[in-house]
Amino acid sequence: MGAEAFAAARARAGAATVERLRQVEAAIARAARDAGRDPAAVTLVAVSKTYDADGIAPVLAAGHRVFGENYVQEAKGKWPGLREAYPDAEVHLIGPLQSNKARDAVALFDAIQTLDRPSLAQALAKEIARAREAGARVPRLYVQVNTGEEPQKGGVAPGEADAFVAACRETHGLAIEGLMCIPPADNPPSPHFALLAEIAKRNGLRELSMGMSADFGAAIQMGATMVRVGSAIFGARG
């Protein structure tokens, strides 16, 4: 494929991505209104994991600013350059975080949604303190709750969530903004969303990151303040 043909194909792909973004935005707004909520109260996290900078750029150019990534190393490879062009872009870590990557994660991400164990809380507390001493911004933190108690997934068990949130606050001095969950793929999602909302309410947390491409409507109905949508915007991953 020649350079002109490649550029034209890129432009078509970018236009298709932006059209899907607009469709998702409209669906979120409809779901919020149907639930009697203000659409502005629901933040769309465009899940850009596995997509390169050229694939993300059209969404940034269309005005969207909040993105989700699963891996520290992948995000380090593409977001510094994108942020030079779009300094107000916000990147959330929505995948598992190893404690030895805490420093990189604190430096790179605006929010970390997968805090789920004491060792990680300790590591993040250390790096957040270091960042504050240096006058740097620090990420907002969400506790991940494994609502289905699936052994292959990260997240605190629902029965341990209250104690873990308290330990993050009292032992580690961390400010917890909200909760995140990923319901089991073979379960109806709404009971899991309702459970997360109950845990959040008990702990005085207003932010709920729940709902993905297939179920964000149900999540909004149950009070999601943040939905994480990837394939419905960027297309099926190869």
Side-chain angles (χ1 to χ4, degrees), residues 111-190:
I112 294 170
Q113 297 198 16
T114 49
L115 172 54
D116 65 352
R117 60 195 186 279
S119 60
L120 181 56
Q122 182 176 9
L124 287 172
K126 176 182 176 182
E127 297 307 331
I128 286 171
R130 186 195 302 270
R132 285 199 173 112
E133 287 176 7
R137 68 105 186 90
V138 299
R140 306 189 305 279
L141 301 177
Y142 288 62
V143 167
Q144 181 176 356
V145 180
N146 187 343
T147 56
E149 301 193 57
E150 298 174 276
Q152 77 277 17
K153 280 185 183 173
V156 181
E160 299 171 1
D162 294 355
F164 183 69
V165 170
C168 287
R169 290 167 165 166
E170 297 163 14
T171 303
H172 302 290
L174 296 173
I176 304 301
E177 178 163 297
L179 303 179
M180 183 268 258
C181 77
I182 306 170
D186 57 355
N187 282 191
S190 290

